[in-house]
Amino acid sequence: MSSVLDADLLSPRVLADPYAFYAGLREREPVHWSERMGCWLISRHADCVAILREPERFTADPAAAGYAMDEALASVQNLDPPRHGPLRNLLMTAYRTQNHEALARELTRRADHLAGRLMTSTRPDLIGDFLAPLAMSAVGELLGVPEGDLAELGAIAEAVAYSMDTHLDAERARAAARARGELSDLVGRLLDGARPDAPGLLGALSRDPAPAGVMPSWVRHSVRIFLSAGYTSSYATAANAFVALQEAGVHPARALDGTALNELLRYAGPVHGLARICACDGEVGGRVVRRGEIVLLLLAAANRDPARFERPEELMLDRAQNPHLALGWGPHACLGSLTAKATLSAALDTAARRLPSLRLETPVRYRPQATVRCPERLVVTPTGAVS
């Protein structure tokens, strides 16, 4: 049994259908020590929520669990309360000051333009020709990134997403450090060059200096995460949603309200894993977890836990009670979710209006990534766009 539960998450079999592996973990050993990865795999919804609610026991901050960490490398992603609060408030205040109605209009305009181009391609790819450039536009508009820097951002963000599986493939560690460094350098240049009167989050952050106790490097690394996750997670969210809708035989026009969007996130959200570190000995699901050990919360497994969701393996767009974990939970909820929802809404709305007969070629192949699940390509069958 242990060999089955310790399968390689990057194997073709698991990449094709990770949900079968997750179901086996939940049923047989929901708190499982993986010798392959050297960490605990947590697959039940209740256990994941309990861990996320106790940052004093299960921390995002390596230093709180006894690991060495350079303070200058801290960010909103790996700080816990109370240091986390002022930094997140700074970022969220900058976000709330943006003109989100104007952003939605611009995304709709951009999506309409991309839909027209999509069907003129000799072999149209929904990701490369439509969803990825749409997500890039969302990031550019929201943060106020100059258009000339967006191409550089895209290539680096792709490398960051690929490198997130270093716990599964140690050879990716060097590429991970290089990609994060390149992105931090780019963000540093963008923040240094931002004017207080400029639109977007970069302008807002240049107007509002960091509060006492918040290092400038924390802001830079947090914006780096926002940029990277806002791009790759956004188009991955939309790509997985289109696959899920086609497999369920549901037209995008039926998935435009908030309830349906939340169900798409639960059923096919791209972020499958989230790590925490045990800061003090304790129990999870009857298993003893020691200080310094890593717990990997399998969010996609929790989102299909039959103990929490009725008929979890079905896409139910009218699911009213939906406490999914696709965006994380609490103060560490995914920053990229803001851009992901805007991108998904614009993509589905435009597909419903401009691409009413959209069909994707099958079978769908997935990238060799376990932390962020996304198809390699989504080739569109010739259907023609509506003018």
Side-chain angles (χ1 to χ4, degrees), residues 223-296:
V223 173
R224 165 178 63 80
I225 294 165
F226 205 121
L227 280 167
S228 179
Y231 172 56
T232 55
S233 293
S234 292
Y235 75 70
T237 296
N240 292 343
F242 275 97
V243 173
L245 290 171
Q246 175 163 299
E247 290 178 345
V250 176
H251 194 273
R254 292 178 51 197
L256 299 178
D257 62 49
T259 300
L261 293 180
N262 265 325
E263 174 66 354
L264 285 168
L265 286 167
R266 179 200 72 83
Y267 184 83
V271 180
H272 279 215
L274 180 65
R276 290 291 183 265
I277 310 172
C278 182
C280 56
D281 294 357
E283 287 193 3
V284 178
R287 303 293 300 273
V288 176
V289 180
R290 303 293 184 187
R291 172 176 166 83
E293 292 179 338
I294 296 172
V295 294
L296 182 61

Side-chain angles (χ1 to χ4, degrees), residues 33 164 168 266 276 371:
W33 175 259
M164 290 177 69
L168 299 170
R266 179 200 72 83
R276 290 291 183 265
T371 303

Side-chain angles (χ1 to χ4, degrees), residues 75-379:
S75 71
V76 71
Q77 190 177 53
N78 58 18
L79 287 174
D80 280 326
R83 296 193 299 168
H84 176 270
L87 175 58
R88 185 175 179 86
N89 289 340
L90 174 70
L91 296 169
M92 295 309 297
T93 298
Y95 173 76
R96 294 188 189 101
T97 62
Q98 304 308 304
N99 187 337
H100 295 284
E101 291 184 359
L103 172 64
R105 289 194 298 270
E106 175 57 25
L107 282 182
T108 297
R109 185 198 68 78
R110 177 64 171 157
D112 281 349
H113 173 69
L114 291 168
R117 290 178 51 191
L118 176 70
M119 301 314 296
T120 64
S121 172
T122 56
R123 188 168 170 78
D125 172 20
L126 190 68
I127 296 177
D129 297 327
F130 183 63
L131 299 178
L134 182 62
M136 185 61 73
S137 294
V139 167
E141 288 292 322
L142 181 61
L143 276 89
V145 178
E147 188 171 348
D149 292 307
L150 288 178
E152 182 181 2
L153 165 64
I156 299 173
E158 295 284 1
V160 171
Y162 180 77
S163 69
M164 290 177 69
D165 291 321
T166 53
H167 57 293
L168 299 170
D169 182 357
E171 293 182 2
R172 301 188 188 192
R174 185 177 301 175
R178 182 170 61 250
R180 286 194 296 268
E182 290 174 353
L183 190 53
S184 290
D185 290 344
L186 173 60
V187 169
R189 295 198 304 272
L190 293 173
L191 285 171
D192 290 343
R195 304 187 317 274
D197 61 344
L201 266 68
L202 294 175
L205 290 171
S206 70
R207 292 191 297 272
D208 299 324
V214 174
M215 296 174 62
S217 62
W218 296 3
V219 178
R220 184 173 71 253
H221 288 300
S222 298
V223 173
R224 165 178 63 80
I225 294 165
F226 205 121
L227 280 167
S228 179
Y231 172 56
T232 55
S233 293
S234 292
Y235 75 70
T237 296
N240 292 343
F242 275 97
V243 173
L245 290 171
Q246 175 163 299
E247 290 178 345
V250 176
H251 194 273
R254 292 178 51 197
L256 299 178
D257 62 49
T259 300
L261 293 180
N262 265 325
E263 174 66 354
L264 285 168
L265 286 167
R266 179 200 72 83
Y267 184 83
V271 180
H272 279 215
L274 180 65
R276 290 291 183 265
I277 310 172
C278 182
C280 56
D281 294 357
E283 287 193 3
V284 178
R287 303 293 300 273
V288 176
V289 180
R290 303 293 184 187
R291 172 176 166 83
E293 292 179 338
I294 296 172
V295 294
L296 182 61
L297 311 184
L298 297 174
L299 304 182
N303 286 340
R304 296 198 182 191
D305 186 347
R308 191 64 185 86
F309 299 97
E310 179 185 1
R311 291 159 36 208
E313 299 298 332
E314 294 183 31
L315 180 68
M316 299 168 57
L317 296 179
D318 60 349
R319 190 185 296 272
Q321 299 298 319
N322 201 345
H324 66 76
L325 304 180
L327 307 176
W329 187 278
H332 281 291
C334 176
L335 290 177
S337 66
L338 308 171
T339 315
K341 285 189 173 181
T343 303
L344 178 57
S345 295
L348 291 172
D349 173 69
T350 300
R353 292 183 293 103
R354 299 289 307 280
L355 306 166
S357 302
L358 178 73
R359 296 293 298 173
L360 308 175
E361 289 187 3
T362 56
V364 174
R365 292 187 57 185
Y366 287 85
R367 297 178 181 181
Q369 299 171 186
T371 303
V372 178
R373 179 171 168 81
C374 183
E376 290 183 344
R377 290 169 56 88
L378 289 178
V379 178

